Amino acid sequence: MRPLSLVFLPLLGLSLAACRDEQAGPRSRKPAASAQVKTRDTAPADLTFRSGATLGGGALVYLGSRVSPVQPSPGQAVQFSHYFQAVRPPPEGFRFFVHLVDADTGQMVVNADHEFQNGAAPLGSWPQGKVVEDVHTVQMPPAPVRVMLGFWKGDERLTVDEPRAQDGANRLLGPELGKAPELPEYKVQRVSTPLVLDGVLDDAAWKEATPVVLRGSFDGRSASLRTEARLLHDEASLYVAFDVEDPDIWGTLLTRDAPIYEQEVVEVFLDANADGKTYNELQVSPHNVIFDAYFPARRQGMDLSWDSGMKTAVKVRGTLDNPADRDEGWTVEMQIPFARLAEVPHVPPRKGDRWRFNLYRLEHLGRRNVEGQAFSPLFIGDFHALPRFGWLTFE
């Protein structure tokens, strides 16, 4: 299994709040001496999300939340107002948390933990029968999210009484925000004869293939360095070509199936039967080192004994492993046999067959700052986010 450090890809210019551990909470903040719990008799009538879920064995009720604007755009400031009521004396020592998680995978995107009412209303101070309101603002992430909220103390969370009102980890299900962007599609043309792999993309067939430019994997923005990809297929194989702009071409890992994803690499993920479970991961480094693996489920059971039978060729426009000069880039050709891939519906693929797939590049700007690029942006730091894979349609 790839380490967690490879899952989160911090990108330059990222403006979202940093994602902390999901057990983390806000720092202690002492309310001013004159601060008092702000209460109201009832929740507003215009709640945009209604709950009624109880916590702590019925001690608290989460009435719901109000979101403004109701349909925020990516990057827009969103105001949340959350409403709770203490039916019985509330437990002491628990603090408030708010998590925005990816709507498809459940991975946390924004940790918006903070003290309730800016520290003026610790849970144990809530008066029985009154409604308490907490208001805070978060920047809308690029892709749909679900708000999860609740109360924590140390390593525990206050119990959410009803299973259907939580995520299984005592996080209340709150509002859902955002609309998923359309998944991109690549129509891959068929060629009658196998391509010659030499790393030079001067074959006439490549000139006819549709080019696509990879974009920032986290936010879909233009990447710092250009990466162009093309795909073709014949009866036996899928061909993938990358043309990579890179002023410093390097790599220290020279053994097959070494963790080249920790350095500079291009990648192809293929879910041939589009089931969102079984898939293959194939990578090539500038040194023409390959990594290939089979996964029976998302991020589970990584099988490095699987042999893709892939053939590759790399052409470097510059000098490898020399930071003193300025390189131009490198090109890659990959020939991937259909018969070796997992769960391929038809070999060869039939016209109209649709697979799920994604193309990636990892670039270490200055050999330090990692930038992830993708054909279909993921909007989270995880290249294994299968629900965000694009479509590969065979012609």
Side-chain angles (χ1 to χ4, degrees):
M1 183 67 65
R2 297 166 76 174
L4 182 61
S5 62
L6 306 171
V7 179
F8 178 70
L9 305 173
L11 301 184
L12 299 179
L14 181 62
S15 60
L16 296 179
C19 298
R20 296 180 287 162
D21 181 86
E22 294 195 359
Q23 290 287 355
R27 295 181 179 179
S28 298
R29 178 187 296 174
K30 294 182 180 180
S34 60
Q36 294 183 346
V37 179
K38 296 179 181 178
T39 65
R40 51 190 300 155
D41 293 330
T42 61
D46 60 345
L47 294 182
T48 56
F49 177 82
R50 298 180 182 275
S51 175
T54 61
L55 302 90
L60 305 179
V61 180
Y62 169 46
L63 301 171
S65 299
R66 181 170 56 191
V67 180
S68 180
V70 177
Q71 294 295 336
S73 302
Q76 187 174 8
V78 184
Q79 185 181 80
F80 294 101
S81 301
H82 307 295
Y83 297 90
F84 292 85
Q85 185 178 43
V87 180
R88 298 201 300 269
E92 299 279 350
F94 282 87
R95 298 157 70 186
F96 190 47
F97 70 81
V98 181
H99 298 160
L100 274 63
V101 305
D102 180 76
D104 288 320
T105 66
Q107 181 174 327
M108 185 157 64
V109 177
V110 177
N111 185 317
D113 294 358
H114 61 279
E115 304 290 358
F116 206 94
Q117 291 187 6
N118 293 321
L123 182 58
S125 69
W126 293 4
Q128 294 182 58
K130 291 290 187 177
V131 173
V132 291
E133 174 193 52
D134 177 82
V135 180
H136 66 108
T137 302
V138 173
Q139 187 180 33
M140 180 63 196
V145 291
R146 181 85 190 239
V147 179
M148 304 283 193
L149 61 166
F151 299 88
W152 67 282
K153 179 171 64 174
D155 290 332
E156 67 172 310
R157 292 175 180 154
L158 186 62
T159 303
V160 178
D161 299 328
E162 303 168 55
R164 64 181 181 179
Q166 58 152 306
D167 68 341
N170 287 313
R171 294 191 299 182
L172 287 162
L173 301 179
E176 294 180 285
L177 303 177
K179 180 180 179 182
E182 283 191 30
L183 297 173
E185 179 183 22
Y186 189 96
K187 296 181 179 180
V188 55
Q189 300 176 34
R190 181 167 178 164
V191 293
S192 57
T193 58
L195 301 182
V196 176
L197 270 64
D198 56 11
V200 180
L201 308 183
D202 58 359
D203 192 300
W206 284 129
K207 292 179 172 57
E208 297 299 321
T210 304
V212 292
V213 176
L214 305 192
R215 306 188 68 81
S217 62
F218 199 94
D219 53 19
R221 296 181 184 177
S222 296
S224 301
L225 296 170
R226 183 181 175 87
T227 306
E228 186 176 275
R230 300 169 190 253
L231 292 88
L232 293 167
H233 78 99
D234 59 21
E235 286 196 358
S237 303
L238 177 70
Y239 298 89
V240 185
F242 291 91
D243 189 344
V244 175
E245 177 191 8
D246 193 346
D248 181 20
I249 307 170
W250 66 280
T252 63
L253 301 170
L254 304 177
T255 306
R256 182 191 172 111
D257 287 336
I260 57 176
Y261 44 78
E262 294 179 347
Q263 300 183 352
E264 300 201 328
V265 72
V266 291
E267 306 183 359
V268 181
F269 281 59
L270 296 168
D271 177 7
N273 66 352
D275 68 348
K277 297 177 182 178
T278 54
Y279 61 103
N280 297 109
E281 176 180 355
L282 306 104
Q283 307 177 3
V284 185
S285 79
H287 279 279
N288 202 21
V289 175
I290 74 169
F291 172 98
D292 50 9
Y294 161 73
F295 288 83
R298 179 177 176 266
R299 285 202 164 275
Q300 297 180 22
M302 182 174 73
D303 183 2
L304 290 178
S305 68
W306 174 74
D307 183 357
S308 65
M310 175 175 64
K311 297 178 181 179
T312 62
V314 173
K315 178 69 174 179
V316 173
R317 303 189 301 276
T319 55
L320 276 166
D321 306 323
N322 182 6
D325 66 355
R326 184 176 179 84
D327 305 318
E328 293 182 15
W330 46 293
T331 50
V332 182
E333 288 180 298
M334 306 167 67
Q335 181 181 9
I336 306 166
F338 292 127
R340 298 284 188 93
L341 296 171
E343 307 280 350
V344 179
H346 307 115
V347 179
R350 299 172 182 173
K351 184 176 182 179
D353 279 1
R354 301 184 82 208
W355 295 10
R356 298 297 296 275
F357 88 117
N358 218 342
L359 306 173
Y360 300 114
R361 174 188 176 185
L362 279 173
E363 168 63 27
H364 290 65
L365 301 167
R367 300 201 181 187
R368 291 183 300 174
N369 298 320
V370 183
E371 180 180 68
Q373 301 181 18
F375 165 67
S376 179
L378 307 160
F379 305 108
I380 56 174
D382 186 358
F383 280 7
H384 294 249
L386 275 71
R388 299 284 165 78
F389 282 16
W391 291 102
L392 183 64
T393 302
F394 289 85
E395 294 193 329

